[in-house]
Amino acid sequence: MQTTFTLSTEGPGLYEFTRDVAGWVRGTGLLTLFIRHSSASLLVQENADPEVRADLAAFFHRLVPPTTDASMSYLTHTYEGPDDMPGHIKAALLPVSVSIPVSDGTLALGTWQGIYLFEHRTVPHRRQVVAHLSR
């Protein structure tokens, strides 16, 4: 089984789409999710406290700031905006695919885990995540 989820983002941050995925899976197998972009990532992360998402976004912004920050003056790929190359760096550091076991139509996530698209760009985007369920 395969499908593509399209998610709209409104700037940097983590966007949960666990319910969308959970509503699609059937049977038992291994679910693979893959994001079709080079400046966004996928994460399985805590979904109980929104401060976790805010802290993760703040940490990665501090780790890899925009090219307007003096510490990033060594970058040469800057013509697509000050968030573009930092977005590529973050996507290189974080996963672009995740695998999750599925048992009897249920994602085998932990109690406080959710599936997130981590947007690294500041402008709104429509991101595609391909889902493949192997049985």
Side-chain angles (χ1 to χ4, degrees):
M1 284 179 31
Q2 247 184 12
T3 194
T4 301
F5 295 97
T6 302
L7 295 99
S8 295
T9 65
E10 298 296 323
L14 286 89
Y15 296 82
E16 186 174 9
F17 65 109
T18 311
R19 288 184 187 170
D20 296 335
V21 176
W24 175 77
V25 297
R26 301 282 184 269
T28 296
L30 183 63
L31 172 67
T32 301
L33 299 171
F34 175 78
I35 191 162
R36 299 181 65 199
H37 305 278
S38 61
S39 59
S41 306
L42 294 175
L43 293 178
V44 172
Q45 194 47 254
E46 178 179 327
N47 64 358
D49 186 347
E51 289 178 349
V52 172
R53 295 187 296 276
D55 286 348
L56 281 169
F59 170 79
F60 279 97
H61 179 78
R62 186 174 181 179
L63 182 68
V64 188
T67 59
T68 52
D69 187 289
S71 68
M72 302 301 277
S73 63
Y74 66 93
L75 295 175
T76 58
H77 178 78
T78 59
Y79 54 87
E80 290 183 54
D83 64 330
D84 184 50
M85 191 60 218
H88 294 300
I89 294 169
K90 292 171 190 174
L93 295 171
L94 295 165
V96 294
S97 67
V98 296
S99 296
I100 302 166
V102 177
S103 182
D104 295 325
T106 302
L107 297 167
L109 293 170
T111 301
W112 307 114
Q113 288 183 315
I115 305 167
Y116 292 91
L117 181 152
F118 195 168
E119 176 63 67
H120 304 307
R121 300 293 308 271
T122 57
V123 298
H125 280 84
R126 289 180 53 80
R127 301 295 196 176
Q128 293 183 336
V129 177
V130 177
H132 179 86
L133 182 61
S134 300
R135 295 186 184 187

